[in-house]
């Protein structure tokens, strides 16, 4: 059971300048593939076809100019690609996972001033900047048996690395941690991250990186390939891929039943003390896009509502909001400028609603002894295709009802016997502004139309929020 993502800063001991865990907890993150988000000159032309593997021209200053688009959706943090100098093969370099010199910047993305400018523009908007960092390996263009270790900075000696061997058995933890990714040609030389010298190099580097560019958080790539002791201040690490698979499997298929989703909530409540720093996502740059499995708008919305309103920090990968449909890498990395940054797109607006609901609930629950973010979501109703979960204190909670029936399903009505809302109080379904009364035992009668999710919230808390005409 994976209770927290260890990957949020501060994971290296002694980083004073990065934002703290409590500061991150309330945030929601928009994940950017820097090369594919926005160009400095705003141009949107080729080359950058769907399958193109090379630099498309996105930059840090391009991102800076498009922050309205991101903040307009309600995000208050972005996570961008690694920033360091890469190997020269563009097909290996554009995504940023092939570092050569961690003390130089990736010139394709701009200058040091551009990166500082992005951080400043974000902070001026009270937004956070998170960087991807690859601590597991460096990269080499050429043969694994004739690596020029002096080409790396600072790991310029073979003694910093594990001996050459390639991972062949993904059930063998020793191999996963000590052998290399890549192949005989174009390998990713694996750093010995148990070596104190290697760890000191990383600690020194990350501290100066955070200080030089005002970074608020770090996300560590390929963490499962790194020995756990590398992450001293965090517990057992493994990310949340099981939760990803559980939810995508359910929402992707109208015949799937809810058992694993319900078990995920149940297991979490038993095994986890704090789920508020887990990163929740349904797409990223390594997975086929959800819409490549199904383009049913109701199924997508249910998955988005699930990811954004349950416990943890929601992460939305660029292009989800435009309902991009690309499959496996590289097709899941298409440039956002092809969408024209359309703020009228249905999922752009839906994502904005989800962010606004989450923020409202966080703020409104602040009077309560039970904080919204650290109270764990609990399932209050389920059947084969519907799950309702409640999060937050009873007088300020959100009840989210998700289903996988799809947009073409018949409409139906459900009885939730104990919703956990305060009995005999009015609540509002926020996406349709339908008002209803909670029954004497906390019961609710809910109608699902067109397979869309439902989000219920106490009526009394809406005053002054602008929701549903209040
Ligand atoms: C690489 O490290 C080894 C072992 O510490 C050392 O003997 C050697 O001199 C180093 N080579 C270079 C080029 O620094
Ligand atoms: C795991 O991999 C290591 C390194 O390749 C190898 O020495 C070891 O025998 C493997 N263990 C098992 C159980 O296969
Ligand atoms: C990693 O480095 C440590 C300390 O220098 C050394 O003891 C260990 O044998 C190395 N591990 C491997 C697998 O090379
Ligand atoms: C940060 O700036 C200092 C001073 O210019 C420099 O020595 C250091 O290498 C920089 N760190 C990084 C990660 O760029
Ligand atoms: C989504 O559904 C398709 C078709 O049923 C299936 O092939 C695919 O494995 C599913 N994807 C996930 C991540 O569950
Ligand atoms: C829940 O925990 C049980 C027992 O450890 C495990 O078998 C099951 O796979 C878990 N289910 C999910 C969805 O995590
Ligand atoms: C479900 O209800 C909506 C709103 O009342 C209506 O527009 C739609 O036609 C209904 N769908 C079906 C399949 O009956």
């Amino acid at each position: 059971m994976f209770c927290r993502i260890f990957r949020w800063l501060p994971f290296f001991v002694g980083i004073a300048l990065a934002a703290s865990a409590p500061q991150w907890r309330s945030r929601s993150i928009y994940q950017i593939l820097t090369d594919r988000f926005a160009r400095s000159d705003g141009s949107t032309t080729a080359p950058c076809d769907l399958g193109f593997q090379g630099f498309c021209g996105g930059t840090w200053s391009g991102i800076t100019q498009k922050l309205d688009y991101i903040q307009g959706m309600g995000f208050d943090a972005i996570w961008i690609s690694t920033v360091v100098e890469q190997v020269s093969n563009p097909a290996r370099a554009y995504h940023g996972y092939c570092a050569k010199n961690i003390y130089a910047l990736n010139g394709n993305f701009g200058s040091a001033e551009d990166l500082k400018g992005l951080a400043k523009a974000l902070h001026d908007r009270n937004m956070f900047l998170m960087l991807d960092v690859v601590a597991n390996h460096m990269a080499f263009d050429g043969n694994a048996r004739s690596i020029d270790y002096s080409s790396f900075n600072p790991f310029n000696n073979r003694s910093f690395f594990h001996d050459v061997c390639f991972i062949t058995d993904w059930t063998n933890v020793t191999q996963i941690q000590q052998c290399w990714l890549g192949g005989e040609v174009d390998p990713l030389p694996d750093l010995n991250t148990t070596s104190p010298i290697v760890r000191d190099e990383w600690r020194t580097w990350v501290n100066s990186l955070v200080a030089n560019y005002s970074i608020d958080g770090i996300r560590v790539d390929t963490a499962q390939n790194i020995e756990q002791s590398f992450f001293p201040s965090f517990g057992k690490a493994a990310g949340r891929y099981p939760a990803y698979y559980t939810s995508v499997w359910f929402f992707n298929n109208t015949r799937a039943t809810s058992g694993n989703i319900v078990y995920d909530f149940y297991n979490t409540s038993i095994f986890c003390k704090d789920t508020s720093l887990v990163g929740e996502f349904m797409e990223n740059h390594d997975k086929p896009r959800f819409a490549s499995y199904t383009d049913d708008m109701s199924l997508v919305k249910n998955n988005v509502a699930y990811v954004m309103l349950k416990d943890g920090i929601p992460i939305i990968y660029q292009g989800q909001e435009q309902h991009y449909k690309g499959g496996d890498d590289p097709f899941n990395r298409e440039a956002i400028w092809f969408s024209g940054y359309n703020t009228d797109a249905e999922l752009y607006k839906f994502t904005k609603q989800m962010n606004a609901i989450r923020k409202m609930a966080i703020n409104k629950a602040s009077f309560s002894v039970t904080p919204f973010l650290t109270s764990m979501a609990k399932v209050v109703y389920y059947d084969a295709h519907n799950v309702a979960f409640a999060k937050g204190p009873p007088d300020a909670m959100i009840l989210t009802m998700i289903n996988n029936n799809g947009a073409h399903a018949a409409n139906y009505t459900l009885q939730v016997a104990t919703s956990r809302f305060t009995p005999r109080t009015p609540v509002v379904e926020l996406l349709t502004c339908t008002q209803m009364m909670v029954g004497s035992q906390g019961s609710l009668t809910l109608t699902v139309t067109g397979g869309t999710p439902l989000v219920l919230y106490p009526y009394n808390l809406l005053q002054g929020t602008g929701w549903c005409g209040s």
Side-chain angles (χ1 to χ4, degrees):
M1 198 61 206
F2 310 121
C3 302
R4 39 175 21 187
I5 217 160
F6 55 90
R7 305 186 288 195
W8 314 110
L9 263 191
F11 72 90
F12 286 95
V13 175
I15 294 176
L17 296 174
S20 64
Q23 288 175 305
W24 270 107
R25 192 170 273 137
S26 67
R27 302 270 157 168
S28 65
I29 301 172
Y30 185 73
Q31 183 196 347
I32 290 175
L33 206 59
T34 303
D35 181 55
R36 306 294 169 88
F37 184 71
R39 291 175 173 143
S40 300
D41 65 2
S43 68
T44 60
T45 48
C48 190
D49 296 334
L50 220 53
F52 182 67
Q53 289 176 285
F55 285 99
C56 286
T59 61
W60 298 312
S61 97
I63 299 171
T64 304
Q65 295 167 53
K66 284 287 175 218
L67 290 179
D68 281 350
Y69 173 81
I70 300 167
Q71 192 177 32
M73 240 181 306
F75 291 101
D76 46 15
I78 64 169
W79 152 15
I80 64 174
S81 306
T82 71
V83 298
V84 298
E85 188 188 349
Q86 302 288 298
V87 294
S88 49
N89 177 351
R92 302 185 76 205
Y94 79 93
H95 44 67
Y97 297 111
C98 290
K100 175 180 166 183
N101 177 1
I102 62 174
Y103 279 96
L105 292 175
N106 183 338
N108 291 77
F109 297 160
S111 65
E113 289 316 307
D114 294 339
L115 183 54
K116 288 176 188 169
L118 172 58
K120 169 139 192 354
L122 286 163
H123 294 155
D124 285 349
R125 293 166 183 255
N126 187 26
M127 293 172 75
F128 279 176
L129 176 59
M130 172 178 281
L131 291 192
D132 229 345
V133 163
V134 183
N136 175 63
H137 57 254
M138 301 297 276
F140 186 71
D141 283 348
N143 195 292
R145 311 289 158 170
S146 53
I147 288 175
D148 174 10
Y149 287 93
S150 72
S151 67
F152 301 131
N153 185 16
F155 304 108
N156 60 350
N157 189 318
R158 185 183 172 136
S159 62
F160 295 121
F161 294 84
H162 288 132
D163 289 338
V164 186
C165 61
F166 291 94
I167 303 173
T168 51
D169 177 2
W170 282 90
T171 64
N172 182 330
V173 174
T174 311
Q175 261 195 35
I176 292 173
Q177 291 176 351
Q178 295 184 358
C179 291
W180 296 20
L181 294 162
E184 291 286 347
V185 176
D186 291 351
L188 299 173
D190 203 78
L191 284 160
N192 179 353
T193 42
T194 61
S195 149
I197 308 172
V198 170
R199 289 186 181 188
D200 278 352
E201 288 288 359
W202 278 123
R203 190 171 293 120
T204 303
W205 173 80
V206 84
N207 274 294
S208 74
L209 180 85
V210 163
N212 290 5
Y213 301 107
S214 310
I215 309 299
D216 304 293
I218 298 284
R219 175 264 182 187
V220 182
D221 181 67
T222 45
Q224 68 162 328
N225 302 85
I226 300 175
E227 293 83 356
Q228 299 307 328
S229 59
F230 187 70
F231 304 99
S233 55
F234 286 79
K236 200 171 175 216
R240 273 288 279 193
Y241 272 37
Y244 161 84
Y245 288 115
T246 302
S247 57
V248 171
W249 179 82
F250 177 68
F251 292 114
N252 160 16
N253 180 352
T254 54
R255 287 188 306 276
T257 53
S258 65
N260 286 339
I261 295 263
V262 175
Y263 258 115
D264 194 48
F265 279 107
Y266 179 72
N267 285 2
T268 302
S269 72
I270 291 178
F271 296 117
C272 302
K273 284 205 192 69
D274 180 0
T275 44
S276 65
L277 292 173
V278 170
E280 294 290 349
F281 63 95
M282 57 182 271
E283 288 186 18
N284 67 28
H285 56 295
D286 285 331
K287 300 280 167 210
R289 291 200 179 267
F290 182 81
S292 72
Y293 299 126
T294 170
D295 64 2
D296 184 301
M297 196 49 98
S298 290
L299 291 175
V300 182
K301 285 183 178 174
N302 276 282
N303 203 350
V304 173
Y306 176 74
V307 165
M308 295 188 71
L309 298 180
K310 72 197 288 248
D311 301 337
I313 300 175
I315 304 169
I316 298 293
Y317 171 50
Q318 66 174 40
Q320 272 186 245
E321 75 280 10
Q322 298 294 343
H323 208 199
Y324 274 10
K325 297 180 171 57
D328 269 310
D329 172 12
F331 299 100
N332 54 2
R333 298 175 175 187
E334 62 273 59
I336 300 309
W337 51 78
F338 291 126
S339 71
Y341 306 95
N342 180 7
T343 55
D344 284 325
E346 192 164 353
L347 290 176
Y348 182 99
K349 291 190 287 191
F350 186 76
T351 304
K352 178 178 181 164
Q353 284 182 307
M354 292 298 119
N355 266 326
I357 290 170
R358 182 171 177 269
K359 274 281 138 59
M360 173 170 70
I362 293 167
N363 293 333
K364 289 285 178 180
S366 56
F367 66 82
S368 170
V369 289
T370 316
F372 182 83
L373 289 165
T374 47
S375 77
M376 278 197 221
K378 293 200 171 52
V379 172
V380 296
Y381 173 91
Y382 72 92
D383 60 36
H385 298 284
N386 299 275
V387 179
F389 58 92
K391 182 169 172 65
D395 48 356
M397 73 174 206
I398 297 179
L399 184 148
T400 307
M401 169 76 94
I402 45 142
N403 73 83
N404 71 338
N405 291 309
H408 302 294
N411 298 333
Y412 57 94
T413 296
L414 291 172
Q415 292 291 335
V416 176
T418 47
S419 67
R420 297 169 77 101
F421 277 123
T422 310
R424 299 194 198 81
T425 56
V427 294
V428 177
E429 200 289 303
L430 294 173
L431 303 177
T432 55
C433 295
T434 310
Q435 196 178 322
M436 59 195 95
M437 282 302 282
V438 180
S440 58
Q441 309 295 321
S443 63
L444 273 177
T445 303
L446 300 176
T447 300
V448 177
T449 58
T452 53
L454 306 179
V455 183
L456 291 107
Y457 195 64
Y459 170 83
N460 296 335
L461 296 182
L462 290 184
Q463 267 113 24
T465 62
W467 272 97
C468 297
S470 62

